[in-house]
Amino acid sequence: MPKIISTATADAPYILPQNEIKNFTYNLFSGSDIDIERLISVFDNSEIAQRHISVEPEWLAKEHTFKERSDIFSEVSLELAKQAIVECLAGVNITPAKIDNIIYVTSTGVMTPTLDARLFNELGFNAHIKRLPLWGLGCAGGAAGISRAMDIARAYPKENVLVVAVELCSLTFQKDDLSKSNIVAASLFGDGCACVLVAGDENELSANEKCPELIASLSTIYDNSLDVMGWDIVETGFSVVFSRDIPTIVKENVKPNITELLSMHDLGIEDIKHYITHPGGLKVINAYEDSLGVKSGTLNISRKILKEHGNMSSPSVIYVLDEFLKNIKKVKAGEYGLLSSLGPGFSSELVLFKTS
């Protein structure tokens, strides 16, 4: 079976306490037609302490064109991706030239050639590396990238696959958007980059005994749910679409999705010992717990990443995975785990794994 060999993360350069972002948002929208006095409480109820962003806070209060945002995305995403990839590969002592496949995941910036091609020139990847850019999967992108990496490594067991997910959500902030969704997004999203190395079972990297084995995945898209989450494309960039129904959708659909995947492998909810869950927000984490009936503390790593980074969209679940792997030596072999994310579509991505 394919294995997760290594992970790494790279934080955006500016650290902002949640209270500072709250005050900025309150001052920006005071006097506008939005009921900021009522909506500002979402900052206090988020359980987020701080977030990393890619620009100075003053940048967010000014007008910017789509091109300005894209230029910053191109520059910052490249630097963060390089940092994460170098750390990820150094951890297992291989060079970029040894990478067979690269999957690049994002939903917050557009460039052609894509970031993976730019990384080729910066890091010295193999000239025959197979590239798979994934755009528009939002928060589901990290889990989807790992799932596609598993598929490739299973089909080509001698090869390895590098997944790099980078999102600069701060660049999408629209200062003139008076929607509730914009305020909620301002209270929740941050920037970050994360990477995962997956290898097939005939690859020499798979000899590491403590690397989790990837067993199976399940992708699900829900009927008539296009308006739950995503972007509206406006002249100045991306304007967030963010439904209040997301926690309810999670509560109603997550358990059936998970049960469907587990039943294919003669497993039940009770067999899952580890949850690598995308920290989409406090209400989303609570909805997972309520739906699955898991014991208190099961999703503590997700809560930790939410507290320290907010929701970074696709990299977030890899941040959770990275934190989990830091203590992998303390985990018993043969235990089942589940990696889970939800995103635009509205869709679910699940990956079943087993500790070794």
Side-chain angles (χ1 to χ4, degrees):
M1 292 181 182
K3 287 185 175 182
I4 293 174
I5 305 300
S6 179
T7 58
T9 64
D11 296 333
Y14 297 96
I15 304 175
L16 290 182
Q18 181 75 335
N19 194 55
E20 186 174 327
I21 305 175
K22 173 188 174 182
N23 291 337
F24 166 83
T25 305
Y26 180 84
N27 292 332
L28 182 65
F29 289 102
S30 291
S32 70
D33 291 337
I34 194 171
D35 187 1
I36 193 63
E37 298 289 345
R38 179 177 63 87
L39 294 176
I40 200 67
S41 63
V42 297
F43 285 83
D44 301 320
N45 300 327
S46 66
E47 289 195 7
I48 296 172
Q50 66 177 30
R51 281 173 280 162
H52 295 75
I53 67 172
S54 303
V55 290
E56 295 180 354
E58 295 77 12
W59 185 94
L60 301 172
K62 299 175 183 178
E63 297 281 355
H64 300 285
T65 65
F66 197 2
K67 183 181 187 308
E68 287 179 289
R69 298 173 194 271
S70 296
D71 288 345
I72 295 172
F73 181 88
S74 297
E75 178 183 347
V76 177
S77 65
L78 180 63
E79 292 306 312
L80 293 182
K82 285 164 55 179
Q83 180 182 332
I85 291 169
V86 168
E87 182 179 336
C88 182
L89 299 187
V92 289
N93 197 32
I94 68 167
T95 66
K98 296 292 186 179
I99 299 299
D100 302 298
N101 308 266
I102 184 168
I103 298 174
Y104 158 53
V105 182
T106 194
S107 294
T108 52
V110 180
M111 63 175 83
T112 303
T114 46
L115 180 65
D116 44 302
R118 301 181 187 216
L119 289 166
F120 164 79
N121 288 289
E122 294 278 339
L123 294 179
F125 285 115
N126 184 330
H128 303 295
I129 191 170
K130 288 169 278 189
R131 299 160 50 208
L132 180 60
L134 298 180
W135 196 92
L137 294 174
C139 298
I146 293 172
S147 179
R148 299 294 81 78
M150 178 185 68
D151 293 340
I152 294 170
R154 178 172 286 140
Y156 301 96
K158 293 182 180 180
E159 296 189 359
N160 54 53
V161 190
L162 187 67
V163 180
V164 55
V166 57
E167 306 284 7
L168 307 185
C169 301
S170 63
L171 299 183
T172 71
F173 178 73
Q174 301 287 335
K175 76 177 191 65
D176 295 323
D177 181 355
L178 301 182
S179 68
K180 179 180 178 181
S181 292
N182 194 37
I183 302 300
V184 173
S187 73
L188 185 60
F189 287 101
D191 301 350
C193 178
C195 119
V196 183
L197 180 62
V198 173
D201 55 15
E202 294 180 23
N203 187 299
E204 61 184 14
L205 294 172
S206 293
N208 188 332
E209 295 181 356
K210 294 305 292 184
C211 292
E213 297 178 349
L214 297 173
I215 299 172
S217 66
L218 183 68
S219 301
T220 306
I221 185 166
Y222 305 138
D223 291 337
N224 302 313
S225 59
L226 295 177
D227 58 349
V228 171
M229 179 188 291
W231 300 124
D232 282 333
I233 309 301
V234 297
E235 289 186 0
T236 54
F238 303 134
S239 179
V240 67
V241 175
F242 203 60
S243 171
R244 64 183 296 176
D245 297 328
I246 292 173
T248 301
I249 294 172
V250 172
K251 194 169 183 178
E252 292 177 350
N253 291 282
V254 162
K255 187 173 183 178
N257 282 156
I258 291 176
T259 301
E260 181 180 1
L261 173 60
L262 297 182
S263 66
M264 299 174 188
H265 300 274
D266 298 321
L267 299 171
I269 295 288
E270 66 279 3
D271 295 306
I272 301 300
K273 304 302 180 185
H274 308 286
Y275 285 91
I276 310 300
T277 303
H278 169 71
L282 180 60
K283 290 183 178 180
V284 172
I285 293 174
N286 290 341
Y288 265 100
E289 291 177 334
D290 292 343
S291 176
L292 298 173
V294 296
K295 65 181 181 180
S296 177
T298 301
L299 301 184
N300 275 355
I301 300 179
S302 295
R303 292 181 182 276
K304 179 178 187 294
I305 297 303
L306 181 68
K307 181 178 180 180
E308 296 176 357
H309 300 275
N311 179 350
M312 298 167 285
S313 192
S314 66
S316 290
V317 75
I318 304 176
Y319 270 70
V320 178
L321 175 63
D322 182 68
E323 190 72 21
F324 171 73
L325 293 179
K326 288 177 181 177
N327 297 301
I328 192 68
K329 291 182 179 179
K330 299 178 182 179
V331 176
K332 293 180 181 178
E335 293 184 338
Y336 289 99
L338 197 72
L339 188 143
S340 173
S341 291
L342 297 150
F346 191 67
S347 58
S348 165
E349 292 286 344
L350 301 172
V351 180
L352 179 66
F353 67 89
K354 185 167 68 173
T355 57
S356 58

